[in-house]
C-alpha cells in the first residue's frame, strides 16, 4: 500500500501555540498524528506514575507501543456518527477519539469531573459514541447491534480486539451475524502476541489474519508501526464497510512495550528488546522538525489535567 504522504515529510513552519487543541485536528497529517501519539504516550506514562503513588482507583492497562493503531484507525472515522467499542486497553483509543485528557485522568482518579463521574474507572468509559468494556470479546455483539441499528444513518461501528480474545465464542457468533445480516462493523485486531502473561503461541491456533475468511468477511492486514499507513488502510476498511454495509477484519500486528497492567511483565529481556525496537514514536519524531515544541505542549496538557483532576472532589456513592 502506498501512503499519500512522503516518508520524510517535515513541517518546519508550524508553530505549536497556547491555543492549540489536544487532538491537533487543524495540523498537517504527520504532525497531528505525532502529537496525538505523544499525548497518549505521556498520559499513560503519567498514569503508571500516579498508580505507583496510590493515586488511582482500580487497575489500569496501558497501550504504550500501540499508539499508532489508535491514531491511525480513529482518525479514519467520522467522529460525529461512527461508534467505537474498545476494550480494557482503551486509553489510546479514547484519547485519539476525544482528546479529553483531563476527563480520563479524573475518571481514573475517581473524581466527579471524570468522563463518567469518576465511577467507570480505567476500563469502562462512555463518552459520546465511544464505549469500552473490560470483558474479553464482550463488545463484539453490541458492536454488531449498533452497526445494524444505525447503518441507515451511514454509521460504521468499530470494535477493538486483541489476540487474547481469539478464544472467545462471542467473537465468532458476532462475525457470523455481522456477515449474515450485513452489519457495517470493522473488527480491529491488535495482535501484540501476548495475552496478559501468556504468549500467543500457547493460546491461539491457526492464523489470526485468516480468522474471518470462513464467514465471508473481507480482510485488511498490516504488519508495521507507521500511523499514516495504518490510517490509509483503516480508511479503506471503513469506506468498504460503509459503502457495502458489510463487516470487515482489520488485522494490525503491533507491540505492547509496557506491562500488561501496572508493572506485571514476565517477558524475557530479549523479547522486550525486540518490542522496544518497534516503538512507533521515534520514526514519527524524525518526520517532524519541531517535535520539541509538540512534546512540551503535550506534557503541559497532561500536567494541567493531573493538577485539575487532583483538585476536583472525589466521587461518592
Amino acid at each position: 500500500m502506498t501512503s499519500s504522504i512522503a516518508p520524510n515529510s517535515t513541517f518546519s513552519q508550524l508553530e505549536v501555540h497556547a491555543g492549540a487543541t489536544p487532538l491537533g485536528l487543524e495540523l498537517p497529517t504527520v504532525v497531528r498524528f505525532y502529537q496525538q501519539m505523544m499525548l497518549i504516550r505521556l498520559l499513560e506514562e503519567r498514569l503508571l506514575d500516579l498508580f505507583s503513588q496510590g493515586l488511582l482507583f482500580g487497575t489500569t492497562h496501558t497501550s504504550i507501543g500501540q499508539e499508532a493503531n489508535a491514531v491511525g484507525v480513529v482518525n479514519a472515522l467520522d467522529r460525529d456518527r461512527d461508534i467505537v467499542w474498545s476494550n480494557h486497553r482503551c486509553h489510546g483509543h479514547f484519547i485519539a477519539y476525544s482528546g479529553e485528557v483531563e476527563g480520563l485522568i479524573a475518571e481514573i482518579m475517581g473524581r466527579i469531573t471524570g468522563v463518567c463521574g469518576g465511577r467507570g474507572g480505567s476500563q469502562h468509559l462512555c463518552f459520546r459514541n465511544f464505549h469500552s468494556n473490560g470483558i474479553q470479546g464482550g463488545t463484539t455483539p453490541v458492536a454488531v447491534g449498533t452497526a445494524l441499528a444505525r447503518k441507515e444513518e451511514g454509521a460504521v461501528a468499530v470494535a477493538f480486539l486483541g489476540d487474547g480474545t481469539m478464544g472467545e465464542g462471542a467473537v465468532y457468533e458476532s462475525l457470523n451475524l455481522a456477515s449474515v445480516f450485513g452489519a457495517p462493523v470493522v473488527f480491529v485486531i491488535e495482535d501484540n502476541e501476548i495475552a496478559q502473561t501468556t504468549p500467543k503461541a500457547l493460546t491461539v491456533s491457526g492464523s489470526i489474519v485468516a480468522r474471518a475468511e470462513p464467514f465471508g468477511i473481507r480482510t485488511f492486514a498490516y504488519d508495521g508501526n507507521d500511523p499514516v499507513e495504518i490510517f490509509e488502510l483503516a480508511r479503506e476498511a471503513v469506506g468498504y464497510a460503509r459503502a457495502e454495509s458489510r463487516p470487515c477484519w482489520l488485522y494490525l500486528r503491533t507491540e505492547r512495550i509496557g506491562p500488561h497492567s501496572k508493572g506485571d511483565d514476565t517477558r524475557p529481556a530479549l523479547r522486550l528488546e525486540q518490542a522496544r525496537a518497534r516503538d512507533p514514536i521515534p520514526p514519527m519524531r524524525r518526520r517532524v522538525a519541531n517535535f520539541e515544541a509538540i512534546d512540551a505542549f503535550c506534557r503541559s496538557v497532561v500536567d494541567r489535567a493531573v493538577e485539575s483532576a487532583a483538585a476536583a472532589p472525589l466521587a461518592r456513592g
Side-chain angles (χ1 to χ4, degrees):
M1 180 179 56
T2 302
S3 169
S4 61
I5 298 176
N8 297 316
S9 297
T10 59
F11 299 89
S12 59
Q13 302 303 313
L14 176 74
E15 285 187 9
V16 177
H17 51 81
T21 59
L23 287 181
L25 299 180
E26 70 282 1
L27 303 176
T29 302
V30 169
V31 181
R32 167 165 41 105
F33 287 3
Y34 176 73
Q35 177 169 302
Q36 291 178 14
M37 290 167 66
M38 277 305 301
L39 194 62
I40 295 167
R41 174 68 59 91
L42 293 172
L43 178 145
E44 293 204 303
E45 289 178 344
R46 179 62 67 86
L47 287 178
L48 290 177
D49 180 58
L50 292 171
F51 189 92
S52 70
Q53 298 177 52
L55 297 175
L56 301 187
F57 286 86
T59 187
T60 186
H61 301 80
T62 63
S63 58
I64 295 172
Q66 300 180 189
E67 296 90 351
N69 296 344
V71 169
V73 172
V74 174
N75 278 276
L77 303 178
D78 181 338
R79 289 181 175 86
D80 293 328
R81 59 175 172 169
D82 293 339
I83 312 107
V84 180
W85 294 93
S86 186
N87 51 28
H88 61 291
R89 205 172 301 283
C90 61
H91 306 152
H93 308 146
F94 177 78
I95 292 301
Y97 171 81
S98 69
E100 291 287 332
V101 177
E102 180 180 339
L104 178 59
I105 291 176
E107 182 62 33
I108 306 176
M109 292 180 73
R111 309 293 169 148
I112 63 171
T113 52
V115 294
C116 295
R119 293 178 174 84
S122 175
Q123 301 181 56
H124 306 107
L125 304 175
C126 181
F127 181 82
R128 297 176 186 163
N129 286 332
F130 184 98
H131 312 273
S132 65
N133 189 305
I135 298 174
Q136 291 287 333
T139 61
T140 53
V142 287
V144 174
T146 52
L148 288 171
R150 296 181 58 185
K151 75 174 182 177
E152 295 303 320
E153 305 170 24
V156 169
V158 173
F160 283 96
L161 310 169
D163 54 279
T165 312
M166 294 300 98
E168 296 294 331
V171 173
Y172 302 101
E173 293 170 349
S174 299
L175 290 172
N176 183 62
L177 289 177
S179 185
V180 169
F181 294 146
V185 185
V186 180
F187 297 94
V188 180
I189 296 77
E190 297 182 277
D191 179 6
N192 59 28
E193 297 195 332
I194 189 166
Q196 191 165 336
T197 58
T198 306
K200 183 177 69 173
L202 298 179
T203 60
V204 180
S205 64
S207 167
I208 294 179
V209 176
R211 271 297 199 269
E213 291 178 6
F215 300 95
I217 292 175
R218 182 176 174 183
T219 296
F220 299 83
Y222 176 65
D223 181 355
N225 59 6
D226 185 336
V228 178
E229 296 289 341
I230 294 170
F231 167 72
E232 297 286 1
L233 187 63
R235 187 163 60 174
E236 184 181 356
V238 171
Y240 165 81
R242 198 186 313 278
E244 302 297 329
S245 287
R246 291 288 302 163
C248 62
W249 188 253
L250 176 56
Y251 171 89
L252 302 174
R253 170 70 179 87
T254 188
E255 293 286 359
R256 168 166 60 80
I257 296 175
H260 164 69
S261 171
K262 293 91 69 180
D264 50 343
D265 201 329
T266 59
R267 289 174 291 180
L270 177 59
R271 183 68 189 89
L272 284 170
E273 183 180 342
Q274 292 170 339
R276 295 188 188 104
R278 286 170 56 101
D279 186 341
I281 297 285
M284 284 297 286
R285 180 173 287 135
R286 290 192 289 270
R287 297 164 69 175
V288 179
N290 63 324
F291 67 84
E292 297 96 339
I294 295 174
D295 292 357
F297 171 73
C298 292
R299 191 168 289 105
S300 71
V301 170
V302 173
D303 288 344
R304 288 196 303 269
V306 171
E307 182 179 351
S308 178
L314 287 167
R316 302 293 182 185

